[in-house]
Amino acid sequence: MATALILLLLLLPDEAEAKLSPKYYQNTCPKVQQIVSDVVTNKQITTPTTAAGTLRLFFHDCFVGGCDASVLVSTNAFNRAERDADENVSLPGDGFDAVIRAKTALELECPGVVSCSDVLALATRDLVSMLGGPFYRVRLGRKDALASTAASVAGNLPHTNMTVDLLIANFAQKGFSVQELVALSGAHTVGFSHCSEFATRIYGYGGGGQAGHDPSMNPHFAAALQKACANYRNDPTIAAFNDVMTPGKFDNMYYQNLLRGLGLLASDYALAADPRTQPYVQLYAANQTAFFSDFAHAMEKLSVFGVKAGHKGEVRRRCDEFNNLSI
């Protein structure tokens, strides 16, 4: 009997997660989804880098303490916030701006009702869909974090030079399988990476001198990157698209690129080479429908990771600061 009770408790959803619902704001702010969609659509049309930036912001938020908008908080005189951790300083401003614009519109429609974490989750889904990616369900009712510290970031985010062992361990800590790791990595089908993040693959690889590049890379691709990134040490803003073939479209080209030697990051190539992850890379490269389905399910799962409820969170009036500045 005791064993059965323990198993039942393990199978029950987290209390905060259980309270989430796509209809959470049906009575308090019925236009929430339309308002967010309209704002981020206009932002994406004006600034095409918005979608990739918001998607990256969402990952960086959820992977550190859960999906609670803690990454949106600004540093003040008393606290260095998450967004100023070394791993987050390169987060693009377009993602922050998209959330702030949507939140502002919602505050005019239904003040103090919709959390910043819900805005970020909805904005991410809508922008992925706008680029041609899958439309998936977003449950609502998240509360915003009551804390945000730069020190909390270390060890939580995957890095571009991680081995597959480390990537698998990083995702497993958050309850994600190897297949979900590969599916979520497909987010790299949009956006860009700074040259410093892949410089070791294109310059002096294996002690091969200035022209030496990772032999797993297509040589023409590597040569083009060497030329494009030549001045990256003096200009750290120089970057390249993660998907050189269809950089503005959410599709399965990322996986096809990996199998053709057109992958940008060492961690991406590692997924295509390791026997534990390679079958999923090959599956998604051949079958975009399978990728979209698995990505959508993984994003639904990620979007409820570590969510806050009740007194463990709040609905911020401004996404960049806590309601009580003494927190």
Side-chain angles (χ1 to χ4, degrees), residues 258-304:
L258 293 184
L259 300 179
R260 295 169 180 162
L262 299 176
L264 199 61
L265 305 173
S267 56
D268 289 336
Y269 171 70
L271 295 178
D274 191 281
R276 292 166 292 181
T277 51
Q278 184 186 65
Y280 300 120
V281 172
Q282 293 172 333
L283 168 64
Y284 298 148
N287 189 333
Q288 181 169 278
T289 301
F291 164 49
F292 277 16
S293 176
D294 289 349
F295 180 82
H297 285 123
M299 285 294 282
E300 284 190 44
K301 179 176 175 179
L302 176 59
S303 73
V304 298

Coordinates of all heavy atoms in Angstrom, one line a residue, residues 258-304:
L258 N 24.0 19.5 -40.7 CA 24.9 18.8 -39.8 C 25.5 17.5 -40.6 O 26.7 17.2 -40.5 CB 24.3 18.3 -38.5 CG 23.8 19.4 -37.5 CD1 23.3 18.7 -36.3 CD2 25.0 20.3 -37.2
L259 N 24.6 16.9 -41.3 CA 25.1 15.7 -42.1 C 25.9 16.0 -43.3 O 26.5 15.2 -43.9 CB 23.8 14.9 -42.5 CG 23.0 14.4 -41.3 CD1 21.8 13.6 -41.8 CD2 23.8 13.5 -40.3
R260 N 25.8 17.3 -43.7 CA 26.6 17.7 -44.9 C 27.9 18.5 -44.5 O 28.5 19.0 -45.4 CB 25.7 18.7 -45.7 CG 24.5 18.1 -46.4 CD 23.6 19.2 -46.9 NE 22.4 18.6 -47.5 CZ 21.3 19.3 -47.8 NH1 21.3 20.6 -47.5 NH2 20.2 18.8 -48.3
G261 N 28.2 18.5 -43.3 CA 29.4 19.2 -42.8 C 29.2 20.7 -42.8 O 30.1 21.5 -42.8
L262 N 27.9 21.2 -42.7 CA 27.6 22.6 -42.7 C 27.1 23.1 -41.3 O 26.5 24.1 -41.2 CB 26.5 22.9 -43.7 CG 26.9 22.6 -45.2 CD1 25.7 22.9 -46.1 CD2 28.1 23.4 -45.6
G263 N 27.5 22.3 -40.3 CA 27.1 22.7 -38.9 C 28.1 23.7 -38.4 O 29.3 23.6 -38.7
L264 N 27.6 24.7 -37.6 CA 28.4 25.8 -37.1 C 29.2 25.5 -35.8 O 30.4 25.7 -35.7 CB 27.6 27.0 -37.0 CG 28.3 28.4 -36.9 CD1 29.1 28.6 -38.2 CD2 27.3 29.5 -36.7
L265 N 28.4 25.0 -34.8 CA 29.0 24.8 -33.5 C 29.5 23.4 -33.2 O 28.9 22.4 -33.7 CB 27.9 25.2 -32.5 CG 27.2 26.6 -32.6 CD1 26.1 26.7 -31.7 CD2 28.3 27.6 -32.4
A266 N 30.5 23.3 -32.4 CA 31.1 22.0 -32.0 C 30.0 21.1 -31.4 O 30.0 19.9 -31.6 CB 32.3 22.2 -31.1
S267 N 29.2 21.7 -30.5 CA 28.2 20.9 -29.8 C 27.1 20.3 -30.8 O 26.6 19.2 -30.6 CB 27.5 21.7 -28.7 OG 27.0 22.9 -29.3
D268 N 26.9 21.1 -31.9 CA 25.9 20.7 -32.9 C 26.5 19.5 -33.7 O 25.8 18.4 -33.9 CB 25.6 21.8 -33.9 CG 24.7 22.9 -33.3 OD1 24.0 22.6 -32.3 OD2 24.8 24.0 -33.7
Y269 N 27.8 19.6 -34.1 CA 28.4 18.5 -34.8 C 28.5 17.3 -33.9 O 28.3 16.1 -34.4 CB 29.8 18.9 -35.3 CG 30.5 17.7 -35.9 CD1 30.1 17.1 -37.1 CD2 31.6 17.1 -35.2 CE1 30.7 16.0 -37.6 CE2 32.2 15.9 -35.7 CZ 31.8 15.4 -36.9 OH 32.4 14.3 -37.4
A270 N 28.7 17.5 -32.6 CA 28.8 16.3 -31.7 C 27.5 15.5 -31.7 O 27.6 14.3 -31.7 CB 29.2 16.8 -30.3
L271 N 26.4 16.2 -31.8 CA 25.1 15.4 -31.9 C 25.0 14.6 -33.1 O 24.4 13.5 -33.1 CB 23.9 16.4 -31.9 CG 23.8 17.3 -30.6 CD1 22.6 18.3 -30.8 CD2 23.6 16.4 -29.4
A272 N 25.6 15.0 -34.2 CA 25.5 14.3 -35.5 C 26.5 13.1 -35.5 O 26.3 12.2 -36.3 CB 25.8 15.2 -36.7
A273 N 27.5 13.1 -34.6 CA 28.5 12.1 -34.7 C 28.4 11.1 -33.6 O 28.8 9.9 -33.8 CB 29.9 12.8 -34.5
D274 N 27.7 11.4 -32.5 CA 27.6 10.4 -31.4 C 26.5 9.4 -31.7 O 25.4 9.7 -32.1 CB 27.3 11.2 -30.1 CG 27.4 10.3 -28.9 OD1 26.5 9.5 -28.6 OD2 28.5 10.5 -28.2
P275 N 26.8 8.1 -31.4 CA 25.8 7.1 -31.7 C 24.5 7.2 -30.9 O 23.5 6.6 -31.3 CB 26.6 5.8 -31.4 CG 27.7 6.2 -30.5 CD 28.1 7.5 -30.9
R276 N 24.6 7.9 -29.8 CA 23.3 8.0 -29.0 C 22.4 9.1 -29.6 O 21.2 9.0 -29.4 CB 23.7 8.4 -27.5 CG 24.4 7.4 -26.7 CD 25.1 7.9 -25.5 NE 26.2 8.8 -25.8 CZ 26.9 9.4 -24.9 NH1 26.6 9.3 -23.6 NH2 27.9 10.2 -25.2
T277 N 23.0 10.1 -30.2 CA 22.1 11.2 -30.8 C 22.0 11.2 -32.3 O 21.1 11.7 -32.8 CB 22.7 12.5 -30.3 OG1 24.1 12.5 -30.7 CG2 22.6 12.7 -28.8
Q278 N 23.0 10.5 -32.9 CA 23.0 10.5 -34.4 C 21.7 10.0 -35.0 O 21.2 10.6 -36.0 CB 24.2 9.7 -34.9 CG 24.3 9.7 -36.4 CD 25.4 8.8 -36.9 OE1 25.3 7.6 -36.7 NE2 26.5 9.4 -37.4
P279 N 21.1 8.9 -34.5 CA 19.8 8.4 -35.1 C 18.7 9.5 -35.2 O 17.9 9.5 -36.1 CB 19.5 7.2 -34.3 CG 20.7 6.8 -33.6 CD 21.5 8.0 -33.4
Y280 N 18.6 10.3 -34.1 CA 17.6 11.4 -34.1 C 17.9 12.5 -35.1 O 17.0 13.0 -35.7 CB 17.4 11.9 -32.7 CG 17.1 10.8 -31.7 CD1 17.9 10.5 -30.6 CD2 15.9 10.1 -31.8 CE1 17.5 9.6 -29.7 CE2 15.5 9.1 -30.9 CZ 16.3 8.9 -29.8 OH 16.0 7.9 -28.9
V281 N 19.2 12.8 -35.2 CA 19.6 13.8 -36.2 C 19.3 13.3 -37.6 O 18.7 14.1 -38.4 CB 21.2 14.1 -36.1 CG1 21.6 15.0 -37.3 CG2 21.5 14.7 -34.8
Q282 N 19.5 12.1 -37.9 CA 19.2 11.5 -39.2 C 17.7 11.4 -39.4 O 17.2 11.7 -40.5 CB 19.8 10.1 -39.3 CG 21.3 10.1 -39.3 CD 21.9 8.7 -39.3 OE1 21.3 7.8 -38.7 NE2 23.1 8.5 -39.8
L283 N 16.9 11.1 -38.4 CA 15.5 11.1 -38.5 C 14.9 12.4 -38.8 O 14.1 12.6 -39.7 CB 14.9 10.6 -37.1 CG 13.3 10.7 -37.0 CD1 12.6 9.9 -38.0 CD2 12.9 10.4 -35.6
Y284 N 15.4 13.4 -38.1 CA 14.8 14.8 -38.3 C 15.3 15.4 -39.6 O 14.6 16.2 -40.2 CB 15.2 15.7 -37.1 CG 14.6 15.2 -35.8 CD1 15.3 15.5 -34.6 CD2 13.4 14.6 -35.7 CE1 14.8 15.0 -33.4 CE2 12.9 14.1 -34.5 CZ 13.6 14.4 -33.3 OH 13.0 13.9 -32.1
A285 N 16.5 15.0 -40.1 CA 17.0 15.5 -41.3 C 16.1 15.0 -42.5 O 15.9 15.6 -43.5 CB 18.4 15.1 -41.6
A286 N 15.6 13.7 -42.3 CA 14.8 13.1 -43.4 C 13.3 13.4 -43.2 O 12.6 13.2 -44.2 CB 15.1 11.6 -43.3
N287 N 12.9 13.7 -42.0 CA 11.4 13.8 -41.8 C 11.1 15.1 -41.0 O 11.2 15.1 -39.7 CB 11.0 12.6 -41.1 CG 9.5 12.5 -40.9 OD1 8.8 13.5 -40.9 ND2 9.0 11.3 -40.8
Q288 N 10.8 16.2 -41.7 CA 10.4 17.4 -41.0 C 9.2 17.3 -40.1 O 9.1 17.9 -39.0 CB 10.3 18.5 -42.0 CG 10.0 19.9 -41.3 CD 10.0 21.0 -42.3 OE1 11.1 21.5 -42.5 NE2 8.9 21.5 -42.8
T289 N 8.2 16.5 -40.5 CA 7.0 16.3 -39.7 C 7.4 15.7 -38.3 O 6.8 16.1 -37.3 CB 6.0 15.4 -40.5 OG1 5.7 15.9 -41.7 CG2 4.8 15.1 -39.6
A290 N 8.3 14.7 -38.3 CA 8.7 14.1 -37.1 C 9.4 15.1 -36.2 O 9.2 15.2 -35.0 CB 9.6 12.9 -37.4
F291 N 10.2 15.9 -36.8 CA 10.9 17.0 -36.0 C 9.9 18.0 -35.4 O 10.0 18.3 -34.2 CB 11.9 17.7 -36.9 CG 12.4 19.0 -36.4 CD1 12.9 19.1 -35.1 CD2 12.4 20.2 -37.1 CE1 13.3 20.3 -34.5 CE2 12.8 21.4 -36.6 CZ 13.2 21.5 -35.3
F292 N 9.0 18.4 -36.2 CA 8.0 19.4 -35.7 C 7.2 18.8 -34.6 O 6.9 19.5 -33.6 CB 7.1 19.9 -36.9 CG 7.7 21.0 -37.7 CD1 9.0 21.3 -37.7 CD2 6.8 21.7 -38.6 CE1 9.5 22.3 -38.5 CE2 7.4 22.7 -39.4 CZ 8.7 23.0 -39.3
S293 N 6.8 17.6 -34.7 CA 6.0 16.9 -33.7 C 6.8 16.8 -32.4 O 6.3 17.2 -31.3 CB 5.5 15.6 -34.2 OG 4.8 14.9 -33.1
D294 N 8.0 16.3 -32.5 CA 8.9 16.2 -31.3 C 9.3 17.5 -30.7 O 9.4 17.6 -29.5 CB 10.1 15.3 -31.6 CG 9.7 13.8 -31.9 OD1 8.6 13.5 -31.6 OD2 10.6 13.1 -32.4
F295 N 9.6 18.5 -31.5 CA 9.9 19.8 -31.0 C 8.8 20.4 -30.3 O 8.9 21.0 -29.2 CB 10.3 20.7 -32.2 CG 10.7 22.1 -31.8 CD1 12.0 22.3 -31.3 CD2 9.8 23.2 -31.8 CE1 12.4 23.6 -30.9 CE2 10.2 24.4 -31.4 CZ 11.5 24.7 -31.0
A296 N 7.6 20.3 -30.8 CA 6.4 20.9 -30.2 C 6.1 20.2 -28.8 O 5.9 20.9 -27.8 CB 5.1 20.7 -31.1
H297 N 6.2 18.9 -28.8 CA 6.0 18.2 -27.5 C 7.1 18.6 -26.5 O 6.8 18.9 -25.3 CB 6.0 16.7 -27.7 CG 4.8 16.2 -28.3 ND1 4.8 15.5 -29.4 CD2 3.5 16.3 -27.9 CE1 3.5 15.1 -29.8 NE2 2.7 15.6 -28.8
A298 N 8.4 18.7 -26.9 CA 9.5 19.1 -26.0 C 9.3 20.6 -25.5 O 9.6 20.9 -24.4 CB 10.8 18.9 -26.7
M299 N 8.8 21.4 -26.4 CA 8.6 22.8 -26.0 C 7.5 23.0 -25.0 O 7.5 23.8 -24.1 CB 8.3 23.7 -27.2 CG 9.6 24.0 -28.1 SD 10.8 25.0 -27.2 CE 10.0 26.6 -27.4
E300 N 6.4 22.2 -25.2 CA 5.3 22.2 -24.2 C 5.8 21.7 -22.9 O 5.5 22.3 -21.8 CB 4.2 21.2 -24.7 CG 3.3 21.8 -25.8 CD 2.1 20.9 -26.0 OE1 1.5 20.5 -25.0 OE2 1.8 20.6 -27.2
K301 N 6.7 20.7 -22.9 CA 7.3 20.2 -21.6 C 8.2 21.3 -21.0 O 8.1 21.5 -19.8 CB 8.0 18.9 -21.9 CG 8.7 18.3 -20.7 CD 9.3 17.0 -21.0 CE 10.1 16.4 -19.9 NZ 10.7 15.1 -20.2
L302 N 9.0 21.9 -21.8 CA 10.0 22.9 -21.3 C 9.2 24.1 -20.8 O 9.6 24.6 -19.7 CB 10.9 23.3 -22.4 CG 11.9 24.5 -22.1 CD1 12.8 24.0 -20.9 CD2 12.7 24.8 -23.3
S303 N 8.1 24.5 -21.4 CA 7.4 25.7 -21.0 C 6.8 25.6 -19.6 O 6.4 26.6 -19.0 CB 6.4 26.0 -22.0 OG 5.3 25.2 -21.9
V304 N 6.7 24.4 -19.0 CA 6.1 24.2 -17.7 C 7.2 23.8 -16.7 O 6.9 23.5 -15.5 CB 4.9 23.2 -17.7 CG1 3.8 23.7 -18.5 CG2 5.4 21.8 -18.1

